[in-house]
Amino acid sequence: KYSAPDNQTQKNQLSTPAIRRILIIDLDVHQGNGNAVLFQGEERVKTFSMQCKANYFSKKEQSDLDIELPVGCRDETYLS
């Protein structure tokens, strides 16, 4: 059975002195809104999300960088 860490566990892992900067890259059909919210205001963490502009299953959150792709885009659009 898969068990995802909770938000506090993820934040606690950032307290490790060896971790200076983190970039979270979320590339799929919907926005990485959980990461966007969890790491807002955390200077060491930057979030990047690329998603379909018409596929939000919940409130759209602001990542450090969001790129919305058109519905039905092909590989050429995604990779450009």
Side-chain angles (χ1 to χ4, degrees), residues 3-15:
S3 177
D6 61 21
N7 292 346
Q8 190 58 47
T9 299
Q10 290 177 330
K11 285 213 170 218
N12 286 345
Q13 290 171 345
L14 289 177
S15 65

Side-chain angles (χ1 to χ4, degrees), residues 30-46:
H30 57 81
Q31 186 201 26
N33 58 330
N35 288 322
V37 170
L38 181 62
F39 295 109
Q40 280 177 347
E42 174 57 63
E43 292 298 318
R44 295 176 298 160
V45 179
K46 299 298 179 199

Side-chain angles (χ1 to χ4, degrees), residues 26 28-34 52 54-60:
D26 190 325
D28 56 32
V29 72
H30 57 81
Q31 186 201 26
N33 58 330
C52 176
N55 193 2
Y56 292 97
F57 60 88
S58 60
K59 179 181 175 237
K60 181 181 183 302

